Amino acid sequence: MAGRAARLVLLAGAAALASGSQGDREPVYRDCVLQCEEQNCSGGALNHFRSRQPIYMSLAGWTCRDDCKYECMWVTVGLYLQEGHKVPQFHGKWPFSRFLFFQEPASAMASFLNGLASLVMLCRYRTFVPASSPMYHTCVAFAWLSGR
């Protein structure tokens, strides 16, 4: 019983630590996102947002809410810098300027290259290892899942 209580206390402590990054806990950021969503992400304003949103952004899945979070992140960063504080993280990431629809282009490129390497190795594996080998299908399934 004591062991179960100790685990519960540890779990509660871990949940308290996982409250988010400094930037997304900032009241200025939260208020900005709420206000932006109210003004831009419903009714006619949402239609206006969608009409001015570049096609590549909508194809990439960027929503009005995502755009509000991005814009408010920079508002908050500006306030932090104006007050002489260090730039905070938002949602576990450092703020990066968006390039096309990539907010972290270097990370996106690294992920693409990682997926490409997985695909190349899968092709080599399928070429050299017969399908009748033990674990063949497991390895192929793992390669497909890990490359995504």
Side-chain angles (χ1 to χ4, degrees):
M1 189 67 138
R4 191 178 284 178
R7 279 185 252 157
L8 184 61
V9 168
L10 285 173
L11 182 63
L17 291 174
S19 59
S21 299
Q22 181 178 351
D24 43 288
R25 287 192 317 258
E26 186 66 45
V28 171
Y29 173 77
R30 289 175 179 246
D31 291 344
C32 178
V33 171
L34 285 174
Q35 186 177 7
C36 178
E37 286 177 346
E38 287 174 2
Q39 291 177 352
N40 301 319
C41 300
S42 61
L46 180 60
N47 291 334
H48 177 69
F49 168 79
R50 288 180 178 151
S51 70
R52 66 180 173 82
Q53 183 184 33
I55 188 75
Y56 60 85
M57 294 287 284
S58 60
L59 290 174
W62 278 85
T63 64
C64 181
R65 185 168 204 270
D66 294 329
D67 203 54
C68 283
K69 290 163 89 175
Y70 179 78
E71 295 299 328
C72 290
M73 173 185 70
W74 288 113
V75 168
T76 307
V77 165
L79 290 173
Y80 264 69
L81 292 175
Q82 192 175 27
E83 296 294 323
H85 300 291
K86 293 181 181 179
V87 174
Q89 286 188 333
F90 293 83
H91 308 286
K93 301 175 188 169
W94 295 108
F96 285 96
S97 294
R98 190 165 46 200
F99 173 71
L100 296 176
F101 54 86
F102 297 108
Q103 189 165 338
E104 298 177 27
S107 177
M109 180 58 79
S111 293
F112 172 75
L113 292 174
N114 187 36
L116 186 62
S118 293
L119 180 63
V120 167
M121 292 310 293
L122 173 63
C123 291
R124 292 177 87 187
Y125 180 82
R126 292 178 73 182
T127 300
F128 293 111
V129 177
S132 59
S133 297
M135 300 295 289
Y136 175 84
H137 297 290
T138 303
C139 290
V140 170
F142 177 78
W144 277 113
L145 292 174
S146 65
R148 291 184 177 242

PDB file of all heavy atoms in Angstrom, residues 1 8 10 12 15 22 33 51 54 67 84 89-90 94 98 115 125-126 136:
ATOM      1  N   MET A   1       0.815  -1.189   0.000  1.00  0.00           N
ATOM      2  CA  MET A   1       0.000   0.000   0.000  1.00  0.00           C
ATOM      3  C   MET A   1       0.862   1.258   0.000  1.00  0.00           C
ATOM      4  O   MET A   1       0.562   2.206  -0.715  1.00  0.00           O
ATOM      5  CB  MET A   1      -0.921  -0.023   1.226  1.00  0.00           C
ATOM      6  CG  MET A   1      -1.960   1.063   1.199  1.00  0.00           C
ATOM      7  SD  MET A   1      -3.112   0.777  -0.124  1.00  0.00           S
ATOM      8  CE  MET A   1      -4.608   1.157   0.679  1.00  0.00           C
ATOM      9  N   LEU A   8       1.974   7.124  -6.621  1.00  0.00           N
ATOM     10  CA  LEU A   8       0.973   8.143  -6.912  1.00  0.00           C
ATOM     11  C   LEU A   8       1.533   9.545  -6.666  1.00  0.00           C
ATOM     12  O   LEU A   8       1.316  10.467  -7.457  1.00  0.00           O
ATOM     13  CB  LEU A   8      -0.275   7.911  -6.060  1.00  0.00           C
ATOM     14  CG  LEU A   8      -1.450   8.838  -6.322  1.00  0.00           C
ATOM     15  CD1 LEU A   8      -1.934   8.687  -7.760  1.00  0.00           C
ATOM     16  CD2 LEU A   8      -2.584   8.536  -5.369  1.00  0.00           C
ATOM     17  N   LEU A  10       4.741  10.381  -6.791  1.00  0.00           N
ATOM     18  CA  LEU A  10       5.718  10.640  -7.852  1.00  0.00           C
ATOM     19  C   LEU A  10       5.037  11.015  -9.158  1.00  0.00           C
ATOM     20  O   LEU A  10       5.487  11.920  -9.875  1.00  0.00           O
ATOM     21  CB  LEU A  10       6.612   9.415  -8.057  1.00  0.00           C
ATOM     22  CG  LEU A  10       7.681   9.191  -6.992  1.00  0.00           C
ATOM     23  CD1 LEU A  10       8.383   7.855  -7.239  1.00  0.00           C
ATOM     24  CD2 LEU A  10       8.682  10.326  -7.003  1.00  0.00           C
ATOM     25  N   ALA A  12       2.072  12.413  -9.499  1.00  0.00           N
ATOM     26  CA  ALA A  12       1.503  13.748  -9.331  1.00  0.00           C
ATOM     27  C   ALA A  12       2.599  14.813  -9.444  1.00  0.00           C
ATOM     28  O   ALA A  12       2.399  15.872 -10.049  1.00  0.00           O
ATOM     29  CB  ALA A  12       0.788  13.868  -7.993  1.00  0.00           C
ATOM     30  N   ALA A  15       3.534  15.210 -13.078  1.00  0.00           N
ATOM     31  CA  ALA A  15       2.501  15.964 -13.800  1.00  0.00           C
ATOM     32  C   ALA A  15       2.625  17.460 -13.511  1.00  0.00           C
ATOM     33  O   ALA A  15       2.416  18.290 -14.397  1.00  0.00           O
ATOM     34  CB  ALA A  15       1.121  15.459 -13.414  1.00  0.00           C
ATOM     35  N   GLN A  22       8.145  27.924 -20.471  1.00  0.00           N
ATOM     36  CA  GLN A  22       7.978  29.257 -19.875  1.00  0.00           C
ATOM     37  C   GLN A  22       7.132  30.159 -20.770  1.00  0.00           C
ATOM     38  O   GLN A  22       6.249  30.867 -20.288  1.00  0.00           O
ATOM     39  CB  GLN A  22       9.337  29.884 -19.626  1.00  0.00           C
ATOM     40  CG  GLN A  22       9.255  31.250 -18.980  1.00  0.00           C
ATOM     41  CD  GLN A  22      10.622  31.844 -18.694  1.00  0.00           C
ATOM     42  OE1 GLN A  22      11.633  31.177 -18.827  1.00  0.00           O
ATOM     43  NE2 GLN A  22      10.642  33.094 -18.321  1.00  0.00           N
ATOM     44  N   VAL A  33      -3.222  34.678 -27.523  1.00  0.00           N
ATOM     45  CA  VAL A  33      -3.769  33.570 -28.320  1.00  0.00           C
ATOM     46  C   VAL A  33      -5.287  33.556 -28.222  1.00  0.00           C
ATOM     47  O   VAL A  33      -5.981  33.414 -29.243  1.00  0.00           O
ATOM     48  CB  VAL A  33      -3.158  32.223 -27.878  1.00  0.00           C
ATOM     49  CG1 VAL A  33      -3.887  31.060 -28.544  1.00  0.00           C
ATOM     50  CG2 VAL A  33      -1.677  32.165 -28.219  1.00  0.00           C
ATOM     51  N   SER A  51      -9.139  32.769 -46.805  1.00  0.00           N
ATOM     52  CA  SER A  51      -9.000  33.347 -48.146  1.00  0.00           C
ATOM     53  C   SER A  51      -7.629  33.988 -48.355  1.00  0.00           C
ATOM     54  O   SER A  51      -7.130  34.042 -49.472  1.00  0.00           O
ATOM     55  CB  SER A  51     -10.101  34.369 -48.405  1.00  0.00           C
ATOM     56  OG  SER A  51      -9.906  35.518 -47.607  1.00  0.00           O
ATOM     57  N   PRO A  54      -1.929  31.404 -47.692  1.00  0.00           N
ATOM     58  CA  PRO A  54      -1.331  30.802 -48.886  1.00  0.00           C
ATOM     59  C   PRO A  54      -1.698  29.311 -48.994  1.00  0.00           C
ATOM     60  O   PRO A  54      -1.837  28.636 -47.978  1.00  0.00           O
ATOM     61  CB  PRO A  54       0.177  30.965 -48.658  1.00  0.00           C
ATOM     62  CG  PRO A  54       0.308  32.047 -47.650  1.00  0.00           C
ATOM     63  CD  PRO A  54      -0.927  31.980 -46.800  1.00  0.00           C
ATOM     64  N   ASP A  67      -1.632  29.729 -36.506  1.00  0.00           N
ATOM     65  CA  ASP A  67      -1.136  31.041 -36.895  1.00  0.00           C
ATOM     66  C   ASP A  67      -1.192  32.014 -35.721  1.00  0.00           C
ATOM     67  O   ASP A  67      -0.267  32.802 -35.525  1.00  0.00           O
ATOM     68  CB  ASP A  67      -1.956  31.574 -38.077  1.00  0.00           C
ATOM     69  CG  ASP A  67      -1.196  32.608 -38.863  1.00  0.00           C
ATOM     70  OD1 ASP A  67      -0.060  32.326 -39.290  1.00  0.00           O
ATOM     71  OD2 ASP A  67      -1.744  33.718 -39.052  1.00  0.00           O
ATOM     72  N   GLY A  84      14.690  42.957 -21.417  1.00  0.00           N
ATOM     73  CA  GLY A  84      16.046  42.479 -21.149  1.00  0.00           C
ATOM     74  C   GLY A  84      16.134  41.043 -20.663  1.00  0.00           C
ATOM     75  O   GLY A  84      17.151  40.652 -20.089  1.00  0.00           O
ATOM     76  N   GLN A  89      11.221  29.398 -24.290  1.00  0.00           N
ATOM     77  CA  GLN A  89      10.729  28.347 -25.185  1.00  0.00           C
ATOM     78  C   GLN A  89       9.207  28.384 -25.202  1.00  0.00           C
ATOM     79  O   GLN A  89       8.573  28.806 -24.241  1.00  0.00           O
ATOM     80  CB  GLN A  89      11.188  26.972 -24.721  1.00  0.00           C
ATOM     81  CG  GLN A  89      12.629  26.686 -24.973  1.00  0.00           C
ATOM     82  CD  GLN A  89      12.967  25.233 -24.652  1.00  0.00           C
ATOM     83  OE1 GLN A  89      12.329  24.593 -23.819  1.00  0.00           O
ATOM     84  NE2 GLN A  89      13.979  24.716 -25.317  1.00  0.00           N
ATOM     85  N   PHE A  90       8.632  27.900 -26.290  1.00  0.00           N
ATOM     86  CA  PHE A  90       7.188  27.777 -26.438  1.00  0.00           C
ATOM     87  C   PHE A  90       6.875  26.347 -26.856  1.00  0.00           C
ATOM     88  O   PHE A  90       7.395  25.877 -27.863  1.00  0.00           O
ATOM     89  CB  PHE A  90       6.654  28.749 -27.497  1.00  0.00           C
ATOM     90  CG  PHE A  90       6.778  30.179 -27.101  1.00  0.00           C
ATOM     91  CD1 PHE A  90       7.976  30.861 -27.288  1.00  0.00           C
ATOM     92  CD2 PHE A  90       5.721  30.843 -26.522  1.00  0.00           C
ATOM     93  CE1 PHE A  90       8.099  32.189 -26.918  1.00  0.00           C
ATOM     94  CE2 PHE A  90       5.841  32.175 -26.144  1.00  0.00           C
ATOM     95  CZ  PHE A  90       7.033  32.846 -26.342  1.00  0.00           C
ATOM     96  N   TRP A  94      12.341  26.235 -29.120  1.00  0.00           N
ATOM     97  CA  TRP A  94      12.779  27.622 -29.238  1.00  0.00           C
ATOM     98  C   TRP A  94      12.059  28.250 -30.417  1.00  0.00           C
ATOM     99  O   TRP A  94      11.757  27.577 -31.401  1.00  0.00           O
ATOM    100  CB  TRP A  94      14.294  27.678 -29.461  1.00  0.00           C
ATOM    101  CG  TRP A  94      15.067  27.180 -28.298  1.00  0.00           C
ATOM    102  CD1 TRP A  94      15.754  26.012 -28.212  1.00  0.00           C
ATOM    103  CD2 TRP A  94      15.212  27.811 -27.027  1.00  0.00           C
ATOM    104  NE1 TRP A  94      16.319  25.880 -26.973  1.00  0.00           N
ATOM    105  CE2 TRP A  94      15.997  26.980 -26.211  1.00  0.00           C
ATOM    106  CE3 TRP A  94      14.741  29.004 -26.481  1.00  0.00           C
ATOM    107  CZ2 TRP A  94      16.336  27.298 -24.913  1.00  0.00           C
ATOM    108  CZ3 TRP A  94      15.085  29.325 -25.180  1.00  0.00           C
ATOM    109  CH2 TRP A  94      15.876  28.471 -24.415  1.00  0.00           C
ATOM    110  N   ARG A  98       9.375  31.368 -39.467  1.00  0.00           N
ATOM    111  CA  ARG A  98       8.784  30.427 -40.413  1.00  0.00           C
ATOM    112  C   ARG A  98       9.327  30.716 -41.809  1.00  0.00           C
ATOM    113  O   ARG A  98       9.449  31.859 -42.227  1.00  0.00           O
ATOM    114  CB  ARG A  98       7.268  30.603 -40.367  1.00  0.00           C
ATOM    115  CG  ARG A  98       6.496  29.576 -41.082  1.00  0.00           C
ATOM    116  CD  ARG A  98       5.038  29.574 -40.709  1.00  0.00           C
ATOM    117  NE  ARG A  98       4.430  30.882 -40.686  1.00  0.00           N
ATOM    118  CZ  ARG A  98       3.307  31.155 -40.030  1.00  0.00           C
ATOM    119  NH1 ARG A  98       2.686  30.229 -39.349  1.00  0.00           N
ATOM    120  NH2 ARG A  98       2.799  32.363 -40.066  1.00  0.00           N
ATOM    121  N   GLY A 115      14.284  10.107 -43.098  1.00  0.00           N
ATOM    122  CA  GLY A 115      13.305   9.266 -43.789  1.00  0.00           C
ATOM    123  C   GLY A 115      13.869   8.703 -45.085  1.00  0.00           C
ATOM    124  O   GLY A 115      13.637   7.535 -45.425  1.00  0.00           O
ATOM    125  N   TYR A 125      17.753  -3.725 -47.941  1.00  0.00           N
ATOM    126  CA  TYR A 125      17.375  -4.900 -47.150  1.00  0.00           C
ATOM    127  C   TYR A 125      16.521  -5.835 -47.991  1.00  0.00           C
ATOM    128  O   TYR A 125      16.772  -7.044 -48.039  1.00  0.00           O
ATOM    129  CB  TYR A 125      16.614  -4.456 -45.892  1.00  0.00           C
ATOM    130  CG  TYR A 125      16.177  -5.597 -45.014  1.00  0.00           C
ATOM    131  CD1 TYR A 125      17.058  -6.178 -44.117  1.00  0.00           C
ATOM    132  CD2 TYR A 125      14.879  -6.087 -45.073  1.00  0.00           C
ATOM    133  CE1 TYR A 125      16.669  -7.229 -43.304  1.00  0.00           C
ATOM    134  CE2 TYR A 125      14.478  -7.134 -44.274  1.00  0.00           C
ATOM    135  CZ  TYR A 125      15.377  -7.704 -43.376  1.00  0.00           C
ATOM    136  OH  TYR A 125      14.976  -8.751 -42.589  1.00  0.00           O
ATOM    137  N   ARG A 126      15.523  -5.276 -48.682  1.00  0.00           N
ATOM    138  CA  ARG A 126      14.629  -6.108 -49.493  1.00  0.00           C
ATOM    139  C   ARG A 126      15.354  -6.735 -50.682  1.00  0.00           C
ATOM    140  O   ARG A 126      14.978  -7.792 -51.161  1.00  0.00           O
ATOM    141  CB  ARG A 126      13.451  -5.274 -49.967  1.00  0.00           C
ATOM    142  CG  ARG A 126      12.555  -4.872 -48.790  1.00  0.00           C
ATOM    143  CD  ARG A 126      11.410  -4.024 -49.213  1.00  0.00           C
ATOM    144  NE  ARG A 126      10.453  -4.866 -49.921  1.00  0.00           N
ATOM    145  CZ  ARG A 126       9.343  -4.418 -50.460  1.00  0.00           C
ATOM    146  NH1 ARG A 126       9.060  -3.133 -50.386  1.00  0.00           N
ATOM    147  NH2 ARG A 126       8.511  -5.229 -51.076  1.00  0.00           N
ATOM    148  N   TYR A 136      11.786 -11.278 -41.494  1.00  0.00           N
ATOM    149  CA  TYR A 136      11.817 -10.403 -42.665  1.00  0.00           C
ATOM    150  C   TYR A 136      10.664  -9.399 -42.625  1.00  0.00           C
ATOM    151  O   TYR A 136      10.875  -8.192 -42.752  1.00  0.00           O
ATOM    152  CB  TYR A 136      11.750 -11.234 -43.955  1.00  0.00           C
ATOM    153  CG  TYR A 136      11.652 -10.398 -45.208  1.00  0.00           C
ATOM    154  CD1 TYR A 136      12.790  -9.886 -45.807  1.00  0.00           C
ATOM    155  CD2 TYR A 136      10.411 -10.096 -45.784  1.00  0.00           C
ATOM    156  CE1 TYR A 136      12.709  -9.107 -46.957  1.00  0.00           C
ATOM    157  CE2 TYR A 136      10.316  -9.319 -46.923  1.00  0.00           C
ATOM    158  CZ  TYR A 136      11.467  -8.834 -47.509  1.00  0.00           C
ATOM    159  OH  TYR A 136      11.378  -8.054 -48.633  1.00  0.00           O
TER     160      TYR A 136
END
